[in-house]
């Protein structure tokens, strides 16, 4: 420390000579009549740590050079790169008191020297880190102890009809944090049925513990190799689960993080139709469709590159199916490391029941994936897996041709006891100034072989997508493809033209759409055309009426719908709607709604077919349950979080609300328990501010936390209405107290040399504390009980204080 101090004194001319370090000479030479108001009074200073501004503060200075923090005045001017945890730590140090000059013993947090300058009102704290350069690292530094916790995410998707035709899916994921490792348990159950015939599938497909390291990760337990392979995007070995271990590279702890992107998935709906999204024979999402071509809502689908099956349901029957690929790759965050890879091995196990995968044995299997940054614009991937009498090899390439052009290709070869399968995908995507365009080709060749029969199945699809934003608030969507498969064969096209305008002050949308495609399951060609108009009514576009008419399979139909959006954050209802559709074959009455409450979110829809007297009901519900710090909390499922803070808000005024802001954005907190999503790994600095009512202070004002996946922490936040007290304090003998430090339930201040105290206090507080000083005892002062709680400032001539004995303090 002496060595660092000598260097510090050499390069810091603001310090006085060593013999004058007790207090700078220009301070010690103050006139005697000024010292009475200078020492033991509030002084406003700028506090610096190693030449970096921390905050503005009110301090008290003794003539012997002792400095003590009274309160922080303002922190709004500071740079955002100063950690609030560091500010809070040094605020605590200053509250305990420091002395001007060199620190030789009991030096907190590496403190080496303290300097106070009267000429510019600056207090500088120098530590042993002053001469040490920051260690440059690309990775986030994790603390040894991160909060534990448990989080459980549940989602239910279901659809059923009065004809006992149904499909449903339940997906539950439990994430926890323990001893620096994160745990994951994933369960699904899904099925379809009609009458007494049904097919169910249930499985516990993941139950593992994982440790994130700088640049890599380790996983132990039951896991699905094709799911969540960290930053390697090449597919693994199907949807089988393995009991074993996995190691791989990881960008999780990289400080630089890029955003993800996705190619759109276009689907075509009919009048009152529904889309079901299936992944690995699991129903993961359902969506109500409008007529014509539209984009699938993929916001709630998982990240990664994987195939999905979309079933179009109309009147309880599957009228079309299509394959699509979700493209949400993670960015290549570290171009200096051109290899990403993972290896895994273990015994393949199935914990559950399935009508698709019935394994008679549990073979040992090994595999791995590797992605190579062959060029800054080209990523090449290769995957392989080997088990008893089964092999799989896959390769892919992701090429960024230009800023606006991307090409994706993928080929997989799978050889099992049942079949030999070859799958090829080529997808070209281009951004254009007024929209986007895409070309794709998908091919599947399967050769089934067993002891009795041999068969072959081939499917080919060539297609294009075009989305344009035209002048005059007009947009165009076009999809065309040629399919060659068992269910249907031929050329098909979909087109949709929409325009937004204002008529008599109302936002109005016009939409013209049409489609002409091969019929599903070798039926006649599927064709239709529709024209619709939607008008937003006052107030604030919360009410919308839409009408549509068209042809569906040469049958006329028309529909009328009403939609209501409250637009109020306090209202758990997000949308409510109803409609009626009439055709020569049927009349359909439908309803829909969506909620986003504190503890539950979801949507539901119903359809009633009058001629057939049939009903269809479907929807999605989701919820997150969290446990941490011995407390339990819940949130709606729209909070896609992997770590959370349970914030218990205690406010003495029901009109007060708290706003939590930080890396996660802004979130309004209510009285009681609230769930605040927290970003993983990075240090999160959360600021709490009060909304509603004057003179309200929040304690604590900020909180810093660093979370592991599955971490949950409990924090109690109190919002108190305060007032400002201006008055004089006297002891039991009637003597006026001066130059003493006084604290309330919310703040602290110094009594000035004239005996005047200015201090903030909670409206419910009736007791002040005077700290012990130079042999003078600690004191307690009772405030009048009849003060008006609505007043912001109270002038009190005399507040009586009495000494507190040691026994009273303990009691």
């Amino acid at each position: 420390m002496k060595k660092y101090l000598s260097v510090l004194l050499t390069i810091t001319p603001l310090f006085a000579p060593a013999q004058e370090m007790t207090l700078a000479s220009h301070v010690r030479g103050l006139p005697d009549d000024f010292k009475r108001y200078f020492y033991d009074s509030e002084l406003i200073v700028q506090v610096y740590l190693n030449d970096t501004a921390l905050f503005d503060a009110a301090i008290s200075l003794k003539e012997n050079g002792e400095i003590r923090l009274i309160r922080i005045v303002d922190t709004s001017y500071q740079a955002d790169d100063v950690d609030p945890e560091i500010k809070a730590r040094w605020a605590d140090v200053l509250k305990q008191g420091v002395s001007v000059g060199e620190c030789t013993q009991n030096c907190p947090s590496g403190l080496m020297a303290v300097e106070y300058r009267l000429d510019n009102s600056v207090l500088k704290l120098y530590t042993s880190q002053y001469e040490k350069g920051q260690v440059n690292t690309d990775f986030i530094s994790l603390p040894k102890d991160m909060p534990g916790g448990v989080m459980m995410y549940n989602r239910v998707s279901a659809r059923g009809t009065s004809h006992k035709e149904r499909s449903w899916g339940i997906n539950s994921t439990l994430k926890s944090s323990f001893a620096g490792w994160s745990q994951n348990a994933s369960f699904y159950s899904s099925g379809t049925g009609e009458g007494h015939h049904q097919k169910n599938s249930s499985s516990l497909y993941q139950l593992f513990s994982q440790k994130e390291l700088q640049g890599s990760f380790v996983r132990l337990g039951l896991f699905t190799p094709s799911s969540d392979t960290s930053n390697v995007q090449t597919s693994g070995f199907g949807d089988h689960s393995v009991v074993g271990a996995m190691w791989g590279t990881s960008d999780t702890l990289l400080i630089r993080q890029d955003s993800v992107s996705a190619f759109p998935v276009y689907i075509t709906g009919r009048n009152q139709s529904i889309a079901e999204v299936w992944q690995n024979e699991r129903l993961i999402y359902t969506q109500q469709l409008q007529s014509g071509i539209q984009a699938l809502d993929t916001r709630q689908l998982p990240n990664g590159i994987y195939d999905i099956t979309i079933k179009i349901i109309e009147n309880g029957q599957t009228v079309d199916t299509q394959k699509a690929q979700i493209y949400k790759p993670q960015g290549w965050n570290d171009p200096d490391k051109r290899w990403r890879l993972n290896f895994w091995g273990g015994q393949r196990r199935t914990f559950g029941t399935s009508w698709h995968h019935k394994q008679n044995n549990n073979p040992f299997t090994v595999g791995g994936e590797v992605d190579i940054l062959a060029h800054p614009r080209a990523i090449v991937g290769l995957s392989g897996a080997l088990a008893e009498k089964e092999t799989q090899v896959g390769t892919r390439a992701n090429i960024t041709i230009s800023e606006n052009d991307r090409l994706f290709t993928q080929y997989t070869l799978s050889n099992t006891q049942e079949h030999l399968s070859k799958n090829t995908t080529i997808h070209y995507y281009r951004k254009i100034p007024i929209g986007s365009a895409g070309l794709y080709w998908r091919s599947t060749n399967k050769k089934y072989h067993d002891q009795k029969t041999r068969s072959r199945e081939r499917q080919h699809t060539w297609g294009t997508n075009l989305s344009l934003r035209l002048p005059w608030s007009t947009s165009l969507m076009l999809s065309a493809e040629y399919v060659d498969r068992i269910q249907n064969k031929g050329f098909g096209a979909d087109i949709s033209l929409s325009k937004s305008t204002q008529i008599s002050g109302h936002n109005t949308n016009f939409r013209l759409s049409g489609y002409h495609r091969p019929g599903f399951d070798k039926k006649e060609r599927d064709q239709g055309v529709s024209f619709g108009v939607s008008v937003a009514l006052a107030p604030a576009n919360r009410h919308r009426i839409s009408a549509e008419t068209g042809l569906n399979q040469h049958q006329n139909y028309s529909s009328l719908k009403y939609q209501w959006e409250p637009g109020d954050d306090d209202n758990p209802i997000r949308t409510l709607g109803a409609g009626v559709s009439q055709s020569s074959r049927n009349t359909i009455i439908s309803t829909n709604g969506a909620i986003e409450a504190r503890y539950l979110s979801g949507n539901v829809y119903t359809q009633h077919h009058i001629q057939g007297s049939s009903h269809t009901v479907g929807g999605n519900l989701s919820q997150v349950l969290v446990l941490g710090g011995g407390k339990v909390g819940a949130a709606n499922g729209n909070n896609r979080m992997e770590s959370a803070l349970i914030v218990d808000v205690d406010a003495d005024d029901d009109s007060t609300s708290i706003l939590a802001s930080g890396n996660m954005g802004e979130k309004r907190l209510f009285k009681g328990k609230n769930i605040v999503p927290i970003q993983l790994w990075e240090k999160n600095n959360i600021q709490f501010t009060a909304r509603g009512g004057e003179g309200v202070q929040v304690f604590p004002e900020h909180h810093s936390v660093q979370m592991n996946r599955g971490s949950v922490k409990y924090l109690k936040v109190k919002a108190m209405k305060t007032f400002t007290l201006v008055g004089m304090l006297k002891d039991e003998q009637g003597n006026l107290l001066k130059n003493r430090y006084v604290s309330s339930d919310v703040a602290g201040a110094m009594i000035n040399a004239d005996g005047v105290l200015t201090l903030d206090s909670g409206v419910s507080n009736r007791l002040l504390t005077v700290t012990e000083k130079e042999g003078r005892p600690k004191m307690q002062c009772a405030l009048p009980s009849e003060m008006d709680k609505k007043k912001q400032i109270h002038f009190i001539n005399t507040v009586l204080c009495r000494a507190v004995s040691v026994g009273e303090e303990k009691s």
Side-chain angles (χ1 to χ4, degrees):
M1 181 176 289
K2 295 285 187 181
K3 176 181 177 181
Y4 286 117
L5 184 61
S6 62
V7 176
L8 181 64
L9 296 177
T10 303
I11 66 172
T12 311
L14 291 178
F15 279 134
Q19 64 270 23
E20 296 183 353
M21 287 294 289
T22 302
L23 196 59
S25 57
H26 61 279
V27 176
R28 293 167 57 210
L30 292 173
D32 292 338
D33 57 347
F34 184 72
K35 288 182 180 181
R36 186 169 74 92
Y37 294 95
F38 182 75
Y39 293 117
D40 293 320
S41 298
E42 286 191 10
L43 304 175
I44 304 300
V45 298
Q46 285 185 315
V47 181
Y48 283 78
L49 177 64
N50 296 330
D51 295 331
T52 300
L54 287 182
F55 42 71
D56 288 349
I59 65 168
S60 65
L61 174 66
K62 294 181 179 296
E63 195 165 0
N64 64 358
E66 182 182 345
I67 293 176
R68 189 179 298 271
L69 175 68
I70 298 176
R71 69 181 183 279
I72 296 176
V73 177
D74 181 35
T75 61
S76 60
Y77 74 93
Q78 305 162 32
D80 294 334
D81 57 353
V82 181
D83 192 340
E85 187 176 3
I86 295 177
K87 302 171 189 174
R89 182 196 315 154
W90 284 101
D92 292 338
V93 169
L94 291 174
K95 286 179 182 178
Q96 300 300 320
V98 296
S99 295
V100 173
E102 177 187 351
C103 183
T104 57
Q105 58 182 357
N106 298 327
C107 302
S109 300
L111 182 66
M112 292 178 58
V114 178
E115 180 202 11
Y116 172 71
R117 298 284 307 202
L118 175 62
D119 52 357
N120 56 2
S121 298
V122 169
L123 174 65
K124 289 192 174 184
L125 311 172
Y126 292 94
T127 71
S128 57
Q129 297 296 319
Y130 187 80
E131 277 293 292
K132 297 179 181 179
Q134 293 183 350
V135 179
N136 293 323
T137 178
D138 292 331
F139 294 97
I140 298 171
S141 178
L142 299 179
K144 293 182 180 180
D145 297 323
M146 285 190 290
V150 177
M151 305 182 63
M152 187 172 184
Y153 178 82
N154 301 298
R155 183 178 183 86
V156 178
S157 299
R159 181 188 60 84
T161 70
S162 57
H163 297 304
K164 298 183 179 180
E165 192 277 329
R166 56 196 175 274
S167 57
W168 50 270
I170 300 175
N171 293 269
S172 296
T173 300
L174 186 145
K175 296 180 181 180
S176 63
S177 176
F178 178 73
W181 289 65
S182 59
Q183 293 75 41
N184 183 301
S186 298
F187 168 84
Y188 86 88
S189 181
S190 62
T192 61
E194 184 173 357
H196 298 290
H197 303 284
Q198 61 181 17
K199 296 178 180 180
N200 298 326
S201 178
S202 300
S203 177
L204 174 68
Y205 59 96
Q206 291 196 132
L207 181 61
F208 63 82
S209 185
Q210 182 166 317
K211 177 71 173 179
E212 297 293 339
L213 307 172
Q214 292 189 350
S216 64
F217 72 94
V218 178
R219 180 181 299 179
L220 303 173
L222 172 70
F223 53 87
T224 306
S226 63
S227 174
D228 188 20
T229 55
S230 191
N231 54 6
V232 180
Q233 296 297 310
T234 303
S235 300
F237 195 15
D239 59 344
H240 297 295
S241 295
V242 172
V243 177
M246 176 185 284
W247 173 90
T249 58
S250 174
D251 288 344
T252 297
L253 299 184
L254 269 181
I255 294 176
R256 300 184 299 271
Q257 295 290 338
D258 296 336
S259 60
V260 299
S261 63
F263 294 143
V265 176
Y266 295 103
I267 54 177
T268 298
R270 300 188 187 186
N271 179 37
Q272 301 294 339
S273 56
I274 298 163
E276 292 184 345
V277 180
W278 292 76
Q279 179 191 10
N280 294 332
E281 288 81 41
R282 299 196 303 269
L283 177 65
I284 60 175
Y285 187 67
T286 69
Q287 178 179 330
Q288 199 170 25
L289 302 178
Q290 59 181 338
S291 296
I293 184 175
Q294 59 211 270
L296 179 70
D297 185 0
T298 61
R299 291 173 295 178
Q300 298 191 39
L301 299 183
N303 289 335
I305 302 174
Y306 54 91
D307 294 326
I308 60 172
T309 300
I310 303 172
K311 297 181 181 180
I312 308 300
I313 311 296
E314 183 180 350
N315 194 18
Q317 301 296 320
T318 301
V319 297
D320 194 12
T321 64
Q322 68 182 78
K323 300 287 186 179
Q325 189 171 70
I326 299 301
Y327 191 82
K328 291 186 177 182
Q330 298 176 358
W332 200 282
N333 297 327
D334 190 354
D336 296 330
K337 296 182 179 179
R338 293 178 172 261
W339 294 79
R340 290 175 170 177
L341 51 94
N342 70 68
F343 299 104
W344 50 269
Q347 188 181 38
R348 195 165 66 194
R349 297 295 298 267
T350 299
F351 293 90
T353 60
S354 173
W355 71 88
H356 289 280
H357 304 290
K358 296 180 180 179
Q359 301 295 333
N360 297 324
N361 56 3
N362 298 307
F364 183 80
T365 177
V366 295
E369 298 84 35
V370 58
D371 284 350
I372 306 170
L373 187 64
H375 182 273
R377 292 181 177 269
I379 301 173
V380 179
L382 178 67
S383 67
L386 177 65
E388 182 182 356
K389 298 180 181 180
E390 295 184 23
T391 58
Q392 176 173 297
V393 178
T395 181
R396 76 176 183 96
N398 186 356
I399 303 173
T400 303
I401 302 173
S402 69
E403 182 179 353
N404 297 317
D405 298 86
R406 301 191 71 174
L407 179 65
F408 173 79
T409 65
Q410 181 171 281
Y411 174 81
T412 59
L413 173 64
S414 177
N415 190 6
T416 68
Q417 297 183 53
E418 293 83 17
H419 65 267
L420 173 66
S421 177
K422 301 177 183 179
N423 299 281
T424 305
T425 299
I426 298 177
H427 192 153
Y428 169 73
Y429 182 78
R430 175 174 175 79
K431 292 181 180 179
I432 54 180
I434 59 173
S436 62
L439 298 171
Y440 59 87
W441 174 61
R442 291 191 295 268
S443 174
T444 299
N445 288 287
K446 285 187 178 182
K447 181 180 179 182
Y448 297 90
H449 49 79
D450 55 33
Q451 295 179 352
K452 297 181 179 180
T453 62
R454 291 180 180 269
S455 62
R456 185 183 299 271
E457 178 183 325
R458 295 181 179 179
Q459 296 184 10
H460 300 280
T461 303
W462 296 263
T464 180
N465 293 315
L466 181 66
S467 178
L468 300 178
R469 298 182 301 274
L470 304 177
W472 305 294
S473 302
T474 304
S475 62
L476 172 69
M477 293 176 64
L478 173 66
S479 174
E481 67 178 18
Y482 178 82
V483 297
D484 182 1
R485 55 184 177 179
I486 297 177
Q487 293 89 349
N488 48 16
K489 181 178 180 179
F491 177 81
D494 301 83
I495 188 171
S496 174
L497 182 68
S498 61
K499 175 178 174 55
S500 299
T501 186
Q502 276 203 348
I503 299 178
S504 300
H506 299 283
N507 293 330
T508 305
N509 295 324
F510 296 95
R511 188 171 189 267
L512 176 65
S513 64
Y515 59 91
H516 196 281
R517 293 180 282 109
F520 179 70
D521 203 13
K522 298 182 179 180
K523 296 179 181 179
E524 63 176 307
R525 291 187 66 85
D526 192 6
Q527 55 189 340
V529 63
S530 64
F531 173 76
V533 59
S534 174
V535 180
L537 306 179
N541 296 332
R542 295 179 181 178
H543 305 273
R544 180 173 289 272
I545 294 178
S546 59
E548 185 176 89
T549 185
L551 290 172
N552 187 356
Q553 295 298 91
H554 307 291
Q555 298 291 326
N556 295 321
Y557 79 91
S558 58
S559 65
L560 180 67
K561 297 179 183 178
Y562 165 77
Q563 200 74 17
W564 173 57
E565 297 182 7
D568 185 359
D569 292 338
D570 294 333
N571 195 331
I573 299 176
R574 287 293 170 258
T575 61
L576 280 178
V580 58
S581 177
Q582 192 276 333
S583 68
S584 59
R585 293 181 300 179
N586 203 350
T587 300
I588 304 171
I589 299 175
S590 63
T591 62
N592 66 83
I595 62 169
E596 187 174 346
R598 292 181 64 182
Y599 307 118
L600 186 71
S601 62
N603 59 72
V604 64
Y605 50 84
T606 67
Q607 293 178 0
H608 174 62
H609 299 253
I610 294 180
Q611 276 79 351
S613 297
S614 64
H615 310 277
T616 299
V617 179
N620 307 274
L621 291 176
S622 58
Q623 185 192 50
V624 181
L625 189 67
V626 299
L627 172 64
K631 305 294 181 179
V632 179
N636 67 68
N638 289 338
N639 293 282
R640 302 289 292 187
M641 51 190 170
E642 295 189 285
S643 63
L645 192 67
I646 302 177
V647 182
D648 196 352
V649 176
D650 180 14
D652 54 10
D653 189 344
D654 293 337
S655 63
T656 301
S657 65
I658 306 295
L659 187 67
S661 57
N663 299 357
M664 75 291 179
E666 292 187 346
K667 183 176 178 62
R668 184 181 176 188
L669 306 182
F670 300 90
K671 196 170 182 179
K673 291 181 181 177
N674 299 262
I675 307 299
V676 178
I678 302 296
Q679 288 186 355
L680 291 178
W681 319 120
E682 296 182 353
K683 186 167 290 186
N684 291 264
N685 304 312
I686 306 170
Q687 190 80 20
F688 298 104
T689 54
R691 295 291 179 92
E694 297 181 358
V696 179
Q697 296 188 28
V698 184
F699 305 93
E701 294 182 347
H702 56 79
H703 184 73
S704 181
V705 66
Q706 200 165 359
M707 298 292 226
N708 189 17
R709 183 179 284 112
S711 291
V712 179
K713 190 175 182 181
Y714 176 80
L715 178 67
K716 191 174 183 64
V717 174
K718 191 170 186 179
M720 300 179 61
K721 191 172 182 61
T722 63
F723 68 92
T724 301
L725 166 68
V726 180
M728 295 185 174
L729 276 59
K730 294 183 179 180
D731 60 16
E732 296 170 294
Q733 288 74 38
N735 299 318
L736 193 64
L737 301 181
K738 301 179 181 180
N739 300 327
R740 298 286 297 272
Y741 183 79
V742 183
S743 62
S744 66
D745 58 338
V746 298
M750 290 288 296
I751 306 174
N752 67 16
D754 293 325
V756 179
L757 172 67
T758 303
L759 176 67
D760 289 337
S761 175
V763 294
S764 301
N765 179 53
R766 291 295 176 265
L767 196 65
L768 305 180
T769 301
V770 183
T771 58
E772 183 181 358
K773 179 182 179 182
E774 298 175 355
R776 288 174 286 183
K778 180 178 179 180
M779 308 183 75
Q780 288 185 343
C781 315
L783 296 176
S785 58
E786 64 278 1
M787 291 189 301
D788 185 0
K789 293 184 178 181
K790 295 182 180 180
K791 294 180 63 176
Q792 294 295 310
I793 301 177
H794 288 269
F795 295 93
I796 303 177
N797 292 331
T798 302
V799 179
L800 297 179
C801 306
R802 65 182 185 87
V804 180
S805 64
V806 177
E808 285 181 298
E809 286 189 64
K810 291 183 178 180
S811 62

